[in-house]
Amino acid sequence: MSLAGRDLITMSDLSTDEIGSLMETAGHMAEAIGFDSPAAGQTFAPLDRILATCFFEPSTRTRLSFESAMLRLGGSVVGFADPKASSASKGETVADTARMVSGYADIMVIRHPSAGAARVAAHAASIPVINGGDGPHAHPTQTLTDLFCIQRKHGRLDGLTVGLYGDLKYGRTVHSLGTTMARLGSRCVCIAPEQLAMPDRYLDEMEEISGERPAQVNTLDEVLGELDVLYCTRVQAERFPSEEEYQKVAGVFVTDASVMERAPESMIVLHPLPRVDEVHPEIDEDPRACYFEQAGGGVPVRMALMSHLLGLEAPRSSFAGFGGKHETRSEPGRARPQAESETLPASAIGECTNDKCITRQERFLEGEWYKLPGDPPRYVCAFCEEALDG
Ligand code: NCD
């Protein structure tokens, strides 16, 4: 098996074995760069590979850790951090940008405010495309970073209880993490006020995978004592329909010293960052507060990912017979349809109604639906993966 030449758009693009293999390589990369003991860090030989960072939305950690990862690998970086400074501001499509970048770089990471934009880029590009966050949809490299930290702290990724806390509606990190933890054999509990609840599609997917629907509670204290991981998230102000709606939920959850007093000794606190007021700095020195270390792990994790996608590192092999761009693996219990599933054009059944979907923004993009088996069959948008009729 090889990840060489493939894209990473959602965590469903990776089998559980491939996730394990990436974690293993990330461990080697961490050692090589001296993640735990800087004095032991090595220098990598120059590498004739270029990463393009195409960021249509603000970013600090994702972009800088990707850049740092490529530079640490010995390669180079080109890119833009602001769509206003790219031809997107002149009306260029995501597809055209991605096609063009394929001529300038060997691998690209894209972040975009529309769900499904990274899928559009992957279809148009001839180089591996990595999703650095697409609207409220998915953020697979954050999940790999989260897994790396959880694995280091708890020594395993299965049999854990993970509290997903905060904005579970618009937060893309919890969508990718929740479904992945379910695949890996851990249990998620969703902690959010009703307006920010985890969308049904992800609860359905987690239930389909694990056979158990995640519990949903409104307050942290209902489940705090059971948690191995408390995964805090920011309220995604930029995705709210109005400032007024945002104000109703701003500042409603805060993890502070009083929460930590009631929390289990072995519970770690994670946050993809940036934080606004959901995690009080007064707990930063608590040994259970792991979010800065978590963010630091983004470098070895992204080094591992890019080396696999560029075919620089032979992954641990237990599968054979796949690889090559745009191929994806099927795994039982996964809700997202795979490459072989039947697709129908939007002209046959209608446009996607998700107002955050890239098909609503991108010119010359014909919508597409995956037909999921069942009676009656279900249809999901091939870009944002939202079901037909919500
Ligand atoms: C997250 C994102 O962009 O989704 N940040 C990140 O990549 N670490 C979380 C957020 O913006 O709240």
Side-chain angles (χ1 to χ4, degrees):
M1 110 181 146
S2 168
L3 285 171
R6 301 217 332 241
D7 305 307
L8 177 60
I9 308 303
T10 72
M11 285 301 288
S12 302
D13 292 328
L14 297 171
S15 69
T16 44
D17 260 29
E18 287 164 345
I19 295 171
S21 176
L22 285 169
M23 290 298 111
E24 201 179 300
T25 310
H28 298 318
M29 293 296 181
E31 239 173 80
I33 62 171
F35 184 59
D36 291 308
S37 41
Q42 303 162 16
T43 313
F44 286 71
L47 176 72
D48 181 22
R49 293 289 191 284
I50 299 173
L51 163 72
T53 53
C54 303
F55 279 67
F56 295 88
E57 241 192 6
S59 169
T60 300
R61 271 148 296 273
T62 304
R63 186 172 64 84
L64 296 190
S65 64
F66 261 109
E67 294 192 0
S68 169
M70 185 46 104
L71 296 173
R72 289 242 191 257
L73 285 171
S76 320
V77 182
V78 294
F80 56 87
D82 178 357
K84 286 197 221 77
S86 83
S87 287
S89 64
K90 302 179 186 171
E92 186 165 57
T93 59
V94 171
D96 277 359
T97 304
R99 178 174 297 186
M100 276 254 329
V101 166
S102 299
Y104 300 155
D106 302 292
I107 187 166
M108 73 179 270
V109 53
I110 176 173
R111 168 171 287 190
H112 198 280
S114 293
R119 185 73 67 194
V120 170
H123 285 171
S126 56
I127 56 174
V129 173
I130 302 169
N131 182 6
D134 61 332
H137 179 220
H139 195 347
T141 67
Q142 181 63 47
T143 294
L144 292 172
T145 302
D146 301 339
L147 298 182
F148 186 64
C149 188
I150 296 171
Q151 169 82 51
R152 278 165 56 92
K153 295 292 163 189
H154 280 299
R156 64 188 205 279
L157 294 169
D158 62 341
L160 299 170
T161 300
V162 180
L164 303 173
Y165 185 32
D167 184 350
L168 310 186
K169 180 175 182 188
Y170 296 116
R172 53 197 171 199
T173 62
V174 283
H175 300 158
S176 295
L177 181 63
T179 47
T180 304
M181 290 313 287
R183 280 171 66 194
L184 297 173
S186 280
R187 171 177 162 255
C188 291
V189 182
C190 298
I191 313 152
E194 240 125 73
Q195 307 96 296
L196 299 179
M198 179 68 85
D200 275 338
R201 57 186 283 208
Y202 299 108
L203 294 170
D204 293 345
E205 186 169 342
M206 288 188 253
E207 185 176 357
E208 202 171 319
I209 293 166
S210 66
E212 192 194 341
R213 198 168 185 82
Q216 294 194 79
V217 298
N218 295 133
T219 59
L220 181 56
D221 275 318
E222 293 171 63
V223 290
L224 185 60
E226 304 165 29
L227 301 182
D228 298 301
V229 178
L230 175 62
Y231 194 92
C232 305
T233 59
R234 174 179 72 89
V235 178
Q236 308 281 296
E238 67 276 30
R239 306 202 200 287
F240 274 66
S242 67
E243 171 68 19
E244 197 191 338
E245 288 301 308
Y246 168 65
Q247 285 306 335
K248 287 185 194 159
V249 285
V252 296
F253 27 78
V254 180
T255 299
D256 57 13
S258 74
V259 170
M260 295 312 282
E261 259 169 45
R262 303 192 300 277
E265 268 312 301
S266 57
M267 184 197 85
I268 58 170
V269 181
L270 301 186
H271 191 308
L273 303 176
R275 64 177 159 185
V276 181
D277 45 20
E278 343 47 81
V279 176
H280 198 289
E282 70 189 9
I283 74 160
D284 286 356
E285 301 314 318
D286 188 310
R288 295 168 291 179
C290 299
Y291 28 87
F292 290 116
E293 182 180 332
Q294 173 193 5
V299 173
V301 164
R302 289 172 171 119
M303 288 172 78
L305 176 66
M306 288 191 286
S307 356
H308 280 254
L309 299 182
L310 287 167
L312 304 176
E313 161 95 30
R316 189 167 47 91
S317 173
S318 58
F319 287 112
F322 75 102
K325 201 164 150 56
H326 305 319
E327 278 194 54
T328 49
R329 278 203 60 77
S330 260
E331 241 181 50
R334 296 212 332 238
R336 199 177 78 75
Q338 298 301 300
E340 65 271 18
S341 56
E342 196 182 327
T343 58
L344 285 127
S347 55
I349 43 176
E351 303 295 334
C352 179
T353 53
N354 174 8
D355 63 356
K356 304 245 182 320
C357 180
I358 186 69
T359 57
R360 308 283 297 268
Q361 313 293 331
E362 174 98 339
R363 284 170 300 113
F364 310 115
L365 175 66
E366 159 103 75
E368 212 170 76
W369 297 94
Y370 286 126
K371 183 176 177 182
L372 300 184
D375 189 20
R378 286 186 300 133
Y379 295 92
V380 297
C381 172
F383 296 94
C384 71
E385 300 184 1
E386 199 75 53
L388 182 63
D389 302 324

